[in-house]
Amino acid sequence: YIDDGLHDRILLKLAMELRRALPRILKDHPPKYLWGYKYESSDESDEGDGEDGGTNLHADMAAVNVNVWLTPDHANLDPNSGGLVVYTVKPPGDWNHHKYNRDTDFVYDELIAPSGYANVTVPYKLNRVVMFDSALFHLTDKCKFKKGYTNRRINLTILYGEMALGGSITGKTNQATSRKQSADKTEL
């Protein structure tokens, strides 16, 4: 994380250069946050479930999310996966960060399932940049990388601007059932 020591000048320059290179998308959205994850391979972890861990379903508190993948392609044992799944729905405007990033079963049941699990799944590729509305729910795709520290999946994320809640990429407003909304009002 940038506030945890990941603030090398080249990374900050990358964030600013992307903004200059993509003014239609990033002009009104200053860099907000930056982090990098290096995911442990499954055979190096205690779980050993055959697939590598990744980031679970969530939405980020920003307008634009930029992901850059930095591990060589030869480390990815399944070139059709290992990337990112971006769903076409956002948290409703009256949900708080805790609700939409912690209660993933509710998110799947009330928002993602009714959308027919509509998503864009982007396979992993070295130096691929994936840019999307940061409020859209997303997660790391299933992945399997070679064993060894140098083969771990590396993801650099740069967030820009402020999050806009509600709706979907099709422009339709997300609706959660009133029963569940009423039960969760104390969290809102």
Side-chain angles (χ1 to χ4, degrees):
Y1 294 94
I2 193 166
D3 53 351
D4 228 3
L6 184 67
H7 53 77
D8 193 277
R9 280 188 181 173
I10 196 163
L11 296 175
L12 301 176
K13 184 173 176 148
L14 172 64
M16 296 309 291
E17 290 296 325
L18 281 171
R19 191 169 182 223
R20 276 192 278 279
L22 302 165
R24 285 189 356 195
I25 298 168
L26 298 174
K27 177 181 150 206
D28 296 327
H29 305 295
K32 180 176 183 175
Y33 207 58
L34 176 135
W35 66 79
Y37 287 149
K38 190 168 198 171
Y39 296 96
E40 187 172 27
S41 295
S42 60
D43 25 1
E44 297 172 323
S45 70
D46 294 334
E47 297 161 17
D49 62 2
E51 288 185 358
D52 297 341
T55 306
N56 294 327
L57 183 70
H58 69 287
D60 291 307
M61 295 179 61
V64 180
N65 186 312
V66 175
N67 276 254
V68 184
W69 297 322
L70 304 173
T71 304
D73 290 332
H74 68 78
N76 185 2
L77 296 173
D78 180 1
N80 294 316
S81 69
L84 192 68
V85 178
V86 182
Y87 290 98
T88 61
V89 293
K90 299 180 184 182
D94 60 348
W95 285 16
N96 65 28
H97 184 262
H98 177 79
K99 182 172 185 68
Y100 62 77
N101 277 346
R102 299 282 189 255
D103 194 352
T104 57
D105 288 339
F106 182 73
V107 171
Y108 276 114
D109 292 345
E110 300 300 323
L111 297 176
I112 295 175
S115 79
Y117 297 91
N119 72 79
V120 175
T121 299
V122 183
Y124 182 93
K125 186 147 183 68
L126 172 65
N127 287 329
R128 177 166 281 164
V129 174
V130 182
M131 184 179 298
F132 58 96
D133 182 335
S134 200
L136 293 170
F137 286 105
H138 56 283
L139 71 151
T140 305
D141 190 15
K142 64 181 187 317
C143 55
K144 179 73 175 152
F145 279 64
K146 289 180 184 176
K147 185 176 178 180
Y149 185 77
T150 59
N151 293 316
R152 290 182 179 176
R153 181 184 183 277
I154 301 172
N155 182 82
L156 174 67
T157 299
I158 307 169
L159 300 182
Y160 293 86
E162 296 302 318
M163 176 187 238
L165 290 174
S168 69
I169 62 172
T170 61
K172 295 177 184 171
T173 304
N174 294 324
Q175 299 290 326
T177 61
S178 57
R179 177 181 52 83
K180 293 257 184 172
Q181 284 180 338
S182 297
D184 292 327
K185 280 238 190 268
T186 56
E187 290 183 39
L188 300 177

